[in-house]
Short mmCIF file of all heavy atoms in Angstrom, two decimals:
data_model
loop_
_atom_site.label_atom_id
_atom_site.label_comp_id
_atom_site.label_asym_id
_atom_site.label_seq_id
_atom_site.Cartn_x
_atom_site.Cartn_y
_atom_site.Cartn_z
N GLN A 24 -1.57 17.87 5.30
CA GLN A 24 -2.00 17.42 6.62
C GLN A 24 -3.12 18.34 7.11
O GLN A 24 -3.06 19.56 6.96
CB GLN A 24 -0.85 17.46 7.62
CG GLN A 24 -1.19 17.00 9.02
CD GLN A 24 -1.18 15.48 9.17
OE1 GLN A 24 -0.40 14.81 8.49
NE2 GLN A 24 -2.02 14.97 10.04
N LEU A 25 -4.16 17.72 7.70
CA LEU A 25 -5.23 18.48 8.33
C LEU A 25 -5.58 17.82 9.64
O LEU A 25 -6.00 16.66 9.66
CB LEU A 25 -6.46 18.54 7.42
CG LEU A 25 -7.68 19.29 7.96
CD1 LEU A 25 -7.36 20.76 8.16
CD2 LEU A 25 -8.87 19.12 7.03
N ASP A 26 -5.38 18.53 10.75
CA ASP A 26 -5.71 18.04 12.08
C ASP A 26 -6.86 18.88 12.64
O ASP A 26 -6.76 20.11 12.70
CB ASP A 26 -4.51 18.15 13.03
CG ASP A 26 -3.33 17.30 12.57
OD1 ASP A 26 -3.54 16.36 11.79
OD2 ASP A 26 -2.20 17.60 13.00
N LEU A 27 -7.94 18.21 13.05
CA LEU A 27 -9.11 18.89 13.58
C LEU A 27 -9.41 18.39 14.98
O LEU A 27 -9.36 17.18 15.23
CB LEU A 27 -10.33 18.63 12.69
CG LEU A 27 -10.21 19.02 11.21
CD1 LEU A 27 -11.45 18.58 10.45
CD2 LEU A 27 -9.98 20.52 11.05
N GLN A 28 -9.74 19.30 15.87
CA GLN A 28 -10.15 18.95 17.23
C GLN A 28 -11.53 19.56 17.49
O GLN A 28 -11.70 20.79 17.42
CB GLN A 28 -9.15 19.45 18.26
CG GLN A 28 -9.47 19.02 19.68
CD GLN A 28 -8.49 19.55 20.70
OE1 GLN A 28 -7.70 20.46 20.40
NE2 GLN A 28 -8.52 19.00 21.89
N LEU A 38 -15.31 23.82 16.75
CA LEU A 38 -14.00 23.46 16.22
C LEU A 38 -12.96 24.20 17.06
O LEU A 38 -12.71 25.39 16.86
CB LEU A 38 -13.90 23.84 14.75
CG LEU A 38 -12.56 23.56 14.06
CD1 LEU A 38 -12.22 22.07 14.09
CD2 LEU A 38 -12.58 24.07 12.63
N ASN A 40 -9.65 23.51 17.49
CA ASN A 40 -8.30 23.65 16.97
C ASN A 40 -8.23 23.08 15.56
O ASN A 40 -8.87 22.06 15.26
CB ASN A 40 -7.29 22.93 17.87
CG ASN A 40 -5.86 23.28 17.54
OD1 ASN A 40 -5.56 24.42 17.16
ND2 ASN A 40 -4.97 22.31 17.65
N MET A 41 -7.49 23.74 14.69
CA MET A 41 -7.24 23.25 13.34
C MET A 41 -5.80 23.55 12.98
O MET A 41 -5.35 24.69 13.07
CB MET A 41 -8.19 23.91 12.33
CG MET A 41 -7.94 23.46 10.90
SD MET A 41 -9.08 24.20 9.70
CE MET A 41 -8.54 25.92 9.74
N VAL A 42 -5.07 22.53 12.57
CA VAL A 42 -3.70 22.68 12.11
C VAL A 42 -3.64 22.09 10.71
O VAL A 42 -4.13 20.98 10.47
CB VAL A 42 -2.71 21.95 13.03
CG1 VAL A 42 -1.29 22.06 12.50
CG2 VAL A 42 -2.80 22.50 14.45
N PHE A 43 -3.07 22.84 9.77
CA PHE A 43 -3.02 22.33 8.40
C PHE A 43 -1.72 22.73 7.73
O PHE A 43 -1.08 23.72 8.10
CB PHE A 43 -4.21 22.84 7.58
CG PHE A 43 -4.30 24.34 7.47
CD1 PHE A 43 -3.60 25.02 6.49
CD2 PHE A 43 -5.08 25.06 8.36
CE1 PHE A 43 -3.67 26.41 6.39
CE2 PHE A 43 -5.16 26.45 8.27
CZ PHE A 43 -4.45 27.12 7.28
N ASN A 78 -3.25 13.43 4.61
CA ASN A 78 -3.38 12.89 5.95
C ASN A 78 -4.40 13.73 6.72
O ASN A 78 -4.23 14.94 6.85
CB ASN A 78 -2.04 12.94 6.69
CG ASN A 78 -1.02 11.99 6.11
OD1 ASN A 78 -0.98 10.82 6.47
ND2 ASN A 78 -0.19 12.49 5.20
N ILE A 79 -5.45 13.08 7.20
CA ILE A 79 -6.51 13.77 7.92
C ILE A 79 -6.66 13.12 9.29
O ILE A 79 -6.89 11.90 9.37
CB ILE A 79 -7.84 13.70 7.15
CG1 ILE A 79 -7.68 14.35 5.76
CG2 ILE A 79 -8.96 14.38 7.92
CD1 ILE A 79 -8.83 14.06 4.82
N ASP A 80 -6.51 13.91 10.34
CA ASP A 80 -6.66 13.42 11.71
C ASP A 80 -7.78 14.21 12.38
O ASP A 80 -7.73 15.44 12.44
CB ASP A 80 -5.36 13.57 12.49
CG ASP A 80 -4.33 12.52 12.12
OD1 ASP A 80 -4.36 11.43 12.73
OD2 ASP A 80 -3.52 12.78 11.20
N ILE A 81 -8.76 13.49 12.92
CA ILE A 81 -9.92 14.11 13.53
C ILE A 81 -10.06 13.58 14.95
O ILE A 81 -10.10 12.37 15.16
CB ILE A 81 -11.21 13.79 12.74
CG1 ILE A 81 -11.05 14.21 11.27
CG2 ILE A 81 -12.41 14.47 13.37
CD1 ILE A 81 -12.05 13.56 10.35
#
Side-chain angles (χ1 to χ4, degrees):
Q24 181 81 32
L25 179 64
D26 298 339
L27 303 174
Q28 184 181 14
L38 178 60
N40 192 35
M41 178 179 69
V42 178
F43 60 85
N78 292 275
I79 301 168
D80 284 273
I81 305 162

